[in-house]
Amino acid sequence: MTWSEIQPLLFQGFWDTLYMVGWSALIALAGGLPLGVLLVLTDKGGMLQNAPVNKVVGAVVNVGRSLPFIILLIALIPFTRFVVGQSVGSTAAIVPLAIGAIPFFARLVETAVREVDRGLVEAVQAMGGGTPTVVFKALLPQALPSLVAGLTTTVIVLIGYSAMAGTVGGGGLGSVAVQYGYQRFETSVMLATVVALIVIVTAVQIIGDAVVRLLAAGRGGAGGDGGASRRLARLGRGRTVAVAAAVVVPLALIGYGIGQGGEDKQTLRIAASPTPHAEILEYVQKHLAAKEGLKLDVRKFNDYVVPNTATESGEVDANFFQHKPYLDDFNKKQHTDIRPVVNVELEPLGLYSKKEQSLKDIGDGDTVAVPNDSTNEGRSLHLLAKHGLIELKPGAGQEATLGDIADTNGLKFKELEAAAVPRALDDVDAAVINGNYAVDADLNPAKDALVAEQAKGNPYANFLAVKDGKQHDPRIEKLAKLLNSQQVKKFIEHKYQGAIEPVFGSVGS
Amino acid sequence: MITTKDLTKVYRTRDREVTALDGVDLHVSEGEVFGVVGQSGAGKSSLIRCVNLLERPTSGTVSVAGQELTALAGSGKRAGKELRAARGRIGMVFQHFNLLSSRSVLGNVELPLEILGYSGQERTRKARELLDLVGLADKAKAHPAQLSGGQKQRVGIARALAGDPKVLLSDEATSALDPETTRSVLQLLRDLKEQLGLTVLLITHEMDVVKAVCDSAALMKNGRITESGTVPELLATPGSELARELFPVGGVPSAPGRTVVDVTFHGATTTEPVISKLSRTYEVDISILGAAMDTVAGKQVGRMRIELPGSFEDNVVPIGFLREQGLTVDVAAVAAAARDDENTDAARGTAGLAKEGAK
């Protein structure tokens, strides 16, 4: 990609990251500060010593800290929808980010407050001060430099967490790096985003350190020389600047966030996987939609669950990323009513090898990598079985697993995340790779695959899907028509060179 | 002004109990400076913290200025409103000053005034007055980190006086200071006591502090008060450990078969030529082995270790004469037979002192 293509990605990613991190850091501050103080106060020997409260708060904080962020992100979806009214997008990502950061920051607050000399607490108590006085006049002001340092650390951790926001369509630099760099092998984009992230993290650290230094210096070093008062006055100004910055920056972010809201009701919102679905939709959006009076808002997701739940809840109007077996399974397990509208394309699964030239060279003792998710793995095993590499047990369904193999013919298997399979190609004898990932890895299904799935009658064609009842929305009908147009057919054939095949028409049951 | 009755404090840990205070009865009269001395671990710190209930006594009562504080304390660990109000009327200064580094000197003195509910302007005016009182008016804008130890303690004192207290508690206030600074801080305490009519309860492990400022003193050992009284009373008490600690006199007999006597002068006797009278009256040769002279609570007080020829039995009459003159006389338990041991002890003592000095 060229710089002019990368630049808008970076810019949007940068703002999304700032927006998500800024808000979640503010919420973490508001939530973590009281929790941390409470942990100190209720601890043994504390002013509000209360073992049950201390244990419960401590346990909640520990649970919050031990959950992997990606789990939290998914687990909180219903809660997120309840709080911000949607479960996808940057705003929705703020909820899990903040909830992940609150316990983290709370522990840092606890440590910072604990460091305050107990003698100061005693002094305030001896003056007749109660617990609130001790907290607000002694503990927090004394711990302020450590608290700022803790907040800096929290913001940096949040920047790291926000890379996973792509799962719920939150965008941000991290998800740009994953989408383009990892999944699409756009090394230049990955490098650019990584550099941008390094710059942001470094800047945050420098600002945080500077504020800490200013606060510490405002308390006067040892020894007051002649220029002490002048120096103090200058430092006092510095502190004002620091505080002003601490107020203005989040406000600016909030302002930005409000500016992001508000969208046209007529715009059709579609959730899609970045490649090729979002690219096809973007082609339609750019070249065809305007003539039909259709406005599209294409939202990219790295995840296969959220686009469906968002469609079910009405946060998006349609999605385009899945095939029939996956949707049937999803509808059954999640009790959703999502219906296919029209087939668009097939990403044929292919068997690739860098070591062997043809199918018959693969046999006893060779290792084959297959995707590890239920549909892709079943699909891979069926492909291998069809070509005689393995034998499946009778009745093995579309979600066959390694356990359904009757005879491996001496093959060994390695199960990997679908997107990671192409990367493993050098380490195994052969690998079953999804069409889209194969293209991203510069493999051409038409030329490079030892064998590939047939387009005709293939149940794995990807389609446009909507919540039941929306099939006849005129906007959906227009989009369906455009997706099955000659222009799109040409676009797919030209762009993907056989890696992805246009498969149009209604979806078979 | 401060009275404790049968005060006990027991610290319970999971597997043992430590008794820090074991039935302490203390009485501090209005307007006096009362020093509690004792080694670390004797319970001094627990005692002073029980007076304003920073530590809750296990049993016993504490009254300050006619108010029984132990009755104000609620059942929980938190201090109720009344107790907090009472604490506001008791000043306290600490060994490590306990100033907030996040506030300026003025801000530190304003803190108790904020708690007492003074308005902004009133607060600043009063805090400046207090700083003026301790001689730090020019340091109002400085931060504690820019002050010397003595200046910090002056801020601590100014802060303790914010609530116009009648009672000031001093927890080893000079223990972190050098001797010169200690003297000036003690002088300030003494002056403030006179000026404001304060009653001061201080705890210390330094006898010099008692000598310099205290009207009364008590000795604490293992959570109990073993001696207590005004300084003159203590000095007049034969065998008083406090008196001996206050005015240590050294010296060992020059030869076996002699009697060593410690004589304490106080009151009018200090100006009488008692020793030369004794020498002339009984024609005895008196050697002075050691002596110490000081001013305590504005009065000259001294102790002297003298040596009389012959055994104790030979000297009953001269010793009786000294007692008649109004002196406190203790026959020192140093016999010439023990001389070698004494020497070793003295040598050890000197080595110890040298080490102290090296610190």
Side-chain angles (χ1 to χ4, degrees):
Chain A
M1 283 170 95
T2 63
W3 175 241
S4 60
E5 286 173 296
I6 296 173
Q7 203 191 2
L9 285 176
L10 272 189
F11 195 73
Q12 185 62 39
F14 176 75
W15 278 113
D16 286 343
T17 297
L18 272 194
Y19 172 65
M20 291 186 292
V21 170
W23 265 107
S24 49
L26 269 185
I27 298 169
L29 178 66
L33 199 59
L35 272 185
V37 172
L38 195 64
L39 278 172
V40 178
L41 292 183
T42 55
D43 197 13
K44 201 158 177 272
M47 271 174 292
L48 304 177
Q49 184 173 334
N50 187 329
V53 170
N54 188 266
K55 287 216 173 82
V56 168
V57 175
V60 168
V61 165
N62 282 344
V63 168
R65 287 200 59 186
S66 42
L67 281 183
F69 179 66
I70 187 79
I71 304 290
L72 196 66
L73 195 66
I74 302 298
L76 282 178
I77 284 177
F79 177 71
T80 305
R81 191 177 296 133
F82 172 73
V83 174
V84 295
Q86 51 186 339
S87 66
V88 295
S90 307
T91 310
I94 291 169
V95 176
L97 281 173
I99 287 181
I102 286 174
F104 180 80
F105 186 57
R107 281 287 179 216
L108 295 179
V109 170
E110 185 195 2
T111 315
V113 172
R114 235 180 250 292
E115 275 170 15
V116 175
D117 189 354
R118 282 193 60 87
L120 298 179
V121 175
E122 199 173 47
V124 175
Q125 285 181 319
M127 290 169 202
T131 307
T133 315
V134 170
V135 170
F136 290 106
K137 305 241 178 201
L139 292 180
L140 292 182
Q142 284 296 121
L144 191 57
S146 304
L147 291 175
V148 171
L151 187 62
T152 307
T153 308
T154 306
V155 168
I156 288 172
V157 166
L158 276 172
I159 292 172
Y161 281 175
S162 74
M164 281 176 256
T167 310
V168 293
L173 283 173
S175 79
V176 170
V178 172
Q179 262 175 34
Y180 289 86
Y182 175 68
Q183 292 176 349
R184 298 167 74 174
F185 293 81
E186 292 285 357
T187 315
S188 53
V189 180
M190 185 156 71
L191 277 178
T193 48
V194 167
V195 168
L197 282 171
I198 291 173
V199 169
I200 294 176
V201 167
T202 310
V204 168
Q205 190 68 56
I206 288 174
I207 293 169
D209 287 349
V211 174
V212 171
R213 256 201 314 279
L214 275 173
L215 287 173
R219 291 164 183 206
D225 53 70
S229 58
R230 206 174 54 235
R231 204 176 67 223
L232 263 179
R234 202 168 61 232
L235 290 170
R237 260 204 311 283
R239 192 156 72 163
T240 314
V241 170
V243 171
V247 172
V248 168
V249 170
L251 283 182
L253 292 175
I254 292 164
Y256 169 77
I258 293 165
Q260 287 291 289
E263 52 197 21
D264 195 344
K265 280 248 155 126
Q266 286 308 303
T267 305
L268 204 53
R269 297 160 301 174
I270 308 144
S273 292
T275 325
H277 313 84
E279 289 172 349
I280 294 169
L281 287 168
E282 278 162 359
Y283 171 79
V284 172
Q285 183 182 23
K286 244 187 211 163
H287 300 285
L288 311 173
K291 282 180 232 157
E292 297 286 333
L294 191 61
K295 267 196 208 160
L296 299 183
D297 173 7
V298 182
R299 298 186 177 182
K300 297 173 195 172
F301 288 80
N302 293 331
D303 170 84
Y304 294 144
V305 176
V306 183
N308 273 341
T309 56
T311 304
E312 177 73 14
S313 71
E315 291 163 59
V316 296
D317 300 303
N319 67 52
F320 173 34
F321 74 99
Q322 62 195 329
H323 48 61
K324 194 75 174 38
Y326 179 80
L327 177 61
D328 287 345
D329 181 55
F330 191 93
N331 275 335
K332 203 166 88 196
K333 286 187 180 152
Q334 305 281 331
H335 309 291
T336 47
D337 280 313
I338 296 168
R339 299 284 169 257
V341 179
V342 63
N343 270 334
V344 180
E345 50 89 23
L346 172 75
E347 299 150 32
L349 217 57
L351 179 69
Y352 298 82
S353 173
K354 288 212 169 157
K355 301 208 171 104
E356 310 296 351
Q357 296 303 312
S358 81
L359 194 59
K360 59 182 184 296
D361 297 327
I362 294 169
D364 200 1
D366 285 343
T367 303
V368 180
V370 292
N372 64 1
D373 56 291
S374 51
T375 35
N376 277 321
E377 183 165 26
R379 199 172 153 188
S380 303
L381 296 178
H382 280 288
L383 176 69
L384 295 176
K386 190 177 171 195
H387 292 276
L389 286 176
I390 54 169
E391 266 177 50
L392 289 176
K393 287 177 187 163
Q398 280 173 325
E399 291 192 8
T401 64
L402 296 183
D404 293 313
I405 300 174
D407 184 358
T408 60
N409 289 331
L411 289 181
K412 282 179 259 169
F413 292 94
K414 223 178 204 133
E415 297 170 288
L416 298 169
E417 194 195 330
V421 177
R423 288 173 192 277
L425 195 51
D426 287 330
D427 304 321
V428 295
D429 299 296
V432 180
I433 303 175
N434 292 63
N436 54 331
Y437 294 130
V439 183
D440 287 340
D442 275 336
L443 295 168
N444 187 324
K447 288 190 223 143
D448 299 327
L450 302 182
V451 288
E453 287 177 325
Q454 298 295 311
K456 207 174 169 195
N458 194 311
Y460 296 105
N462 285 189
F463 47 68
L464 182 71
V466 293
K467 184 171 166 64
D468 195 18
K470 279 201 180 174
Q471 290 93 326
H472 301 297
D473 182 324
R475 296 174 299 164
I476 297 287
E477 285 180 336
K478 268 182 205 164
L479 177 63
K481 198 183 95 191
L482 291 177
L483 281 172
N484 278 356
S485 64
Q486 279 305 305
Q487 288 97 320
V488 168
K489 183 168 191 278
K490 267 187 203 144
F491 170 76
I492 293 174
E493 282 168 351
H494 178 74
K495 171 135 183 147
Y496 302 109
Q497 302 287 320
I500 288 162
E501 296 179 27
V503 177
F504 290 168
S506 63
V507 180
S509 51
Chain B
M1 200 66 179
I2 304 174
T3 307
T4 73
K5 281 213 182 88
D6 201 21
L7 205 59
T8 59
K9 174 74 187 177
V10 180
Y11 295 99
R12 288 192 177 85
T13 56
R14 206 172 304 152
D15 47 355
R16 64 199 190 112
E17 289 188 353
V18 180
T19 306
L21 297 179
D22 188 7
V24 173
D25 293 308
L26 188 76
H27 181 76
V28 182
S29 308
E30 183 161 0
E32 72 172 346
V33 179
F34 193 106
V36 177
V37 288
Q39 292 179 333
S40 52
K44 309 185 299 284
S45 194
S46 300
L47 174 61
I48 202 162
R49 278 170 178 70
C50 279
V51 169
N52 61 359
L53 262 63
L54 283 179
E55 299 260 13
R56 295 292 167 91
T58 311
S59 67
T61 60
V62 175
S63 305
V64 176
Q67 192 175 27
E68 193 186 322
L69 297 188
T70 32
L72 297 182
S75 52
K77 218 179 134 52
R78 296 177 63 184
K81 203 175 162 195
E82 283 182 316
L83 175 59
R84 279 188 275 128
R87 277 179 184 164
R89 295 189 294 271
I90 303 174
M92 189 166 185
V93 281
F94 301 88
Q95 177 174 9
H96 297 293
F97 325 123
N98 294 351
L99 300 177
L100 296 174
S101 60
S102 51
R103 287 173 170 237
S104 68
V105 164
L106 189 70
N108 267 283
V109 181
E110 283 187 9
L111 179 56
L113 297 166
E114 288 167 24
I115 294 170
L116 291 167
Y118 279 73
S119 69
Q121 268 188 332
E122 186 70 351
R123 202 161 63 211
T124 310
R125 189 189 58 75
K126 171 118 191 171
R128 283 189 185 281
E129 267 175 29
L130 289 165
L131 282 177
D132 197 32
L133 197 63
V134 299
L136 281 179
D138 58 328
K139 294 284 182 192
K141 286 256 180 346
H143 275 257
Q146 296 163 323
L147 302 182
S148 69
Q151 289 172 325
K152 281 181 200 168
Q153 197 55 289
R154 281 165 186 269
V155 177
I157 292 170
R159 183 177 70 176
L161 296 176
D164 297 320
K166 286 277 155 231
V167 171
L168 189 66
L169 305 177
S170 160
D171 175 18
E172 298 272 11
T174 57
S175 300
L177 304 175
D178 63 67
E180 185 64 33
T181 317
T182 297
R183 262 193 293 283
S184 78
V185 167
L186 290 175
Q187 188 57 46
L188 175 67
L189 274 181
R190 188 92 213 159
D191 292 347
L192 289 171
K193 182 212 117 170
E194 298 297 336
Q195 210 174 325
L196 306 172
L198 293 173
T199 304
V200 182
L201 172 64
L202 63 83
I203 63 166
T204 182
H205 64 273
E206 296 169 314
M207 289 297 165
D208 283 344
V209 172
V210 177
K211 240 193 271 186
V213 292
C214 290
D215 302 302
S216 299
L219 178 67
M220 251 194 127
K221 273 185 176 176
N222 300 322
R224 294 174 157 277
I225 289 195
T226 55
E227 282 181 37
S228 169
T230 65
V231 174
E233 274 166 18
L234 290 168
L235 289 173
T237 308
S240 161
E241 200 177 330
L242 258 179
R244 206 160 57 235
E245 296 271 340
L246 278 170
F247 296 100
V249 283
V252 289
S254 51
R258 288 164 186 248
T259 303
V260 177
V261 175
D262 288 343
V263 184
T264 307
F265 303 82
H266 43 79
T269 53
T270 39
T271 51
E272 295 283 318
V274 184
I275 299 296
S276 59
K277 259 194 202 167
L278 175 70
S279 180
R280 268 185 275 121
T281 314
Y282 297 96
E283 292 189 344
V284 286
D285 292 322
I286 301 166
S287 345
I288 296 173
L289 299 175
M293 193 64 110
D294 221 322
T295 310
V296 174
K299 290 175 193 139
Q300 279 250 297
V301 174
R303 273 163 73 84
M304 186 181 279
R305 174 166 286 189
I306 57 175
E307 185 188 57
L308 302 169
S311 66
F312 174 69
E313 286 74 20
D314 302 331
N315 286 304
V316 173
V317 179
I319 290 172
F321 170 79
L322 288 173
R323 290 202 169 120
E324 272 168 35
Q325 299 297 310
L327 304 182
T328 309
V329 181
D330 289 313
V331 178
V334 279
R339 190 170 168 164
D340 288 342
D341 293 344
E342 275 285 321
N343 268 348
T344 352
D345 273 346
R348 227 182 264 139
T350 319
L353 277 179
K355 227 193 256 169
E356 287 285 313
K359 277 195 221 164

